[in-house]
Amino acid sequence: MKNKRILISGAGIGGLTAALCLIQRGFDVLVLEQAPELKSLGAGLQLSPNATRVLAGLGLSAELERVTIKPGGKCIRLWNTGQEWKLFDLGAESLDRYGYPYMMLYRPDLHAILMRALIERAPHAFRLGAKVIDVGQTDDEVHVQLQNGERIVGDVLIGADGVHSVTRERLIAQDHPSFSGCIAWRGAIPIESLPASMQGPAGVNWIGPGAHIVHYPVHGGKLVSFTGIVESSAWVRESWTEQGSIEECLQDFNGWHPDVHALIRQLGTPLRWAMMLRHPLTNWTNGRVSLLGDAAHPTLPFLAQGAGMAIEDGCVLARAFQEYGDTPEYALQVYQASRIERTTQIVIGSAANTKRFHNRELADAAGANAYVAREWEESTVRARYEWLFSYEPENVPLQQPDKARAA
Ligand SMILES: Cc1cc2nc3c(=O)[nH]c(=O)nc-3n(C[C@H](O)[C@H](O)[C@H](O)COP(=O)(O)OP(=O)(O)OC[C@H]3O[C@@H](n4cnc5c(N)ncnc54)[C@H](O)[C@@H]3O)c2cc1C
């Protein structure tokens, strides 16, 4: 199999990680990315140790440390009074318990690090301006049709082409999203534009009835990533680049604490995203074609595991090929069987977490105290996240497809 070619559609976080993990094991990979040039896109991403251990295994720790700061823990704050509760320590504790750090990253930084590593390690394994518009397969090969008219043939195709995956649409399943009832405001804020009290290294979750906000320092502590999720019937597109205005964002957080308004006022041009719900797929593999990352298991972000899952996928996919690469169709079945239970639980758990962040009991301070004591007490939160953070993609047993079906 090592002399055969694995095509990957999409050079996002998942596609690049998969390519690097496969190249590390000696496979021939070609990544096709639709974007004509590399641009800084996106705001913040959080990666817990289940994902950072994969990046460490790719030799990227030193570069990642240069663009992150040691996280100062996670706290929650109440929407109107600003009352604060400590949630858990993200810094030393993550290293002690899991051996790998929790990282708060600016997506363009992570993307650039992965991209640089790929270009250094396999300069011919990557093409920009290669938008895949159709995909197909025979018993012996896969083929993709690019928008520029070119046809590329390989032995396997991995659709890492994100939430609107063409690969999924053509060969696996039609997309049937429904509006979740929430929209997300996103942006990155220069940290020096905020009051000194808001320049600390902690990740902060503001919780309130019908909305919540997550912000944390990224880009070596120079920027603060802001995501504000609000229940809304106003329809916007599911797009990473749709723009809104500061006035609209302020309106959505009317009555919230002055610190929240201080953040929003510095957002520049905030981006907004309609959050869509999708039932987890029960199958994402067809012959020599499979999916990875958001293409396979798009999720709401309420467990902060979207990028982490894509990274885990890349590692497990490469291990399946290392073990069963002589029979690529079987290797893809092993990959899916090894991943589907966990990713399904994360997608379902993320949707369920919406209520936890937006609960109506948070409306007044007395209700909020009782609610936080019940739902967000430190040991309760730790238990809730343990199964996510303790997963080891490089060590989990690979599942045989038949066993997974029987389970
Ligand atoms: C522009 C952008 C900004 C984002 N910003 C944030 C953010 O601020 N916060 C956050 O939590 N998450 C963000 N995400 C999503 C986050 O990166 C993913 O949820 C997660 O990392 C899973 O990664 P993925 O590789 O599966 O998908 P993605 O990271 O979405 O990558 C998919 C890649 O496939 C490419 N692609 C799509 N269709 C085709 C095609 N037909 N042919 C070839 N290439 C194709 C896309 O251009 C993209 O590079 C963003 C994603 C994108 C694309």
Side-chain angles (χ1 to χ4, degrees):
M1 178 67 201
K2 286 196 172 164
N3 54 4
K4 296 188 177 158
R5 194 189 221 191
I6 300 174
L7 304 181
I8 298 179
S9 171
I13 307 302
L16 290 173
T17 305
L20 288 165
C21 290
L22 286 161
I23 288 164
Q24 190 179 42
R25 289 166 175 80
F27 290 97
D28 178 18
V29 174
L30 179 62
V31 184
L32 301 164
E33 168 57 43
Q34 66 177 355
E37 56 182 332
L38 294 173
K39 274 205 214 143
S40 286
L41 290 171
L45 293 171
Q46 300 182 74
L47 293 184
S48 40
N50 47 304
T52 56
R53 59 193 308 134
V54 174
L55 302 179
L58 289 170
L60 302 175
S61 298
E63 282 205 71
L64 287 166
E65 274 167 28
R66 275 196 283 279
V67 296
T68 49
I69 55 165
K70 287 215 170 14
K74 191 107 178 156
C75 67
I76 44 181
R77 294 188 68 183
L78 191 61
W79 67 288
N80 53 352
T81 64
Q83 185 180 348
E84 186 172 322
W85 295 267
K86 178 174 181 280
L87 269 192
F88 47 76
D89 181 317
L90 295 173
E93 193 174 301
S94 176
L95 281 172
D96 287 351
R97 281 177 82 85
Y98 308 108
Y100 293 88
Y102 191 101
M103 287 186 166
M104 304 183 294
L105 279 153
Y106 190 40
R107 187 181 183 274
D109 288 336
L110 174 61
H111 195 250
I113 288 170
L114 293 169
M115 200 67 257
R116 258 199 314 275
L118 180 62
I119 290 169
E120 270 166 30
R121 294 172 197 189
H124 304 297
F126 173 64
R127 285 187 46 187
L128 280 169
K131 183 178 171 94
V132 173
I133 55 166
D134 201 6
V135 303
Q137 63 179 326
T138 65
D139 286 346
D140 305 316
E141 64 174 40
V142 295
H143 46 267
V144 303
Q145 185 69 46
L146 300 187
Q147 195 173 40
N148 66 8
E150 203 179 333
R151 187 172 187 270
I152 298 179
V153 174
D155 296 287
V156 170
L157 171 65
I158 306 298
D161 43 356
V163 74
H164 302 297
S165 168
V166 168
T167 315
R168 183 185 60 216
E169 197 76 16
R170 291 286 190 277
L171 285 180
I172 315 276
Q174 297 303 302
D175 195 19
H176 297 294
S178 60
F179 184 46
S180 68
C182 291
I183 63 158
W185 289 99
R186 295 179 304 117
I189 301 163
I191 202 159
E192 76 275 358
S193 67
L194 295 174
S197 61
M198 299 181 72
Q199 294 187 10
V204 183
N205 285 7
W206 290 84
I207 53 176
H212 79 280
I213 290 169
V214 180
H215 63 85
Y216 47 86
V218 294
H219 199 48
K222 296 187 193 74
L223 296 172
V224 171
S225 172
F226 174 97
T227 306
I229 314 275
V230 58
E231 290 170 17
S232 168
S233 52
W235 182 258
V236 287
R237 287 193 309 131
E238 188 185 37
S239 150
W240 292 110
T241 50
E242 173 97 15
Q243 297 184 352
S245 70
I246 287 184
E247 290 65 37
E248 289 167 303
C249 187
L250 283 170
Q251 192 51 43
D252 276 350
F253 292 94
N254 193 15
W256 283 54
H257 192 268
D259 282 357
V260 167
H261 285 213
L263 284 160
I264 295 173
R265 285 208 183 82
Q266 300 303 328
L267 270 174
T269 307
L271 301 174
R272 59 183 168 182
W273 165 269
M275 309 191 86
M276 306 301 284
L277 273 174
R278 294 172 169 87
H279 290 295
L281 294 177
T282 51
N283 169 60
W284 67 61
T285 301
N286 174 353
R288 291 170 171 262
V289 179
S290 191
L291 305 175
L292 175 153
D294 282 359
H297 36 68
T299 184
L300 294 178
F302 301 148
L303 285 172
Q305 291 293 323
M309 276 196 286
I311 290 170
E312 292 175 352
D313 284 347
C315 176
V316 175
L317 175 77
R319 287 180 57 212
F321 270 98
Q322 186 171 25
E323 199 72 27
Y324 302 104
D326 291 336
T327 48
E329 296 187 21
Y330 189 72
L332 291 179
Q333 289 295 336
V334 169
Y335 152 67
Q336 174 177 304
S338 305
R339 292 292 300 148
I340 199 159
E341 192 183 327
R342 176 172 169 88
T343 57
T344 299
Q345 280 178 5
I346 292 176
V347 172
I348 293 170
S350 298
N353 239 4
T354 318
K355 289 194 205 83
R356 198 168 271 133
F357 283 118
H358 292 187
N359 202 287
R360 303 287 154 196
E361 285 184 55
L362 296 165
D364 66 78
N369 269 307
Y371 184 76
V372 171
R374 203 170 67 238
E375 288 290 333
W376 293 98
E377 196 272 321
E378 203 172 335
S379 60
T380 314
V381 174
R382 199 190 305 281
R384 204 183 291 148
Y385 284 87
E386 177 67 20
W387 69 281
L388 292 167
F389 293 3
S390 61
Y391 181 80
E392 299 182 3
E394 75 284 23
N395 294 323
V396 285
L398 293 176
Q399 300 286 319
Q400 302 307 312
D402 296 335
K403 274 205 201 133
R405 257 196 290 277

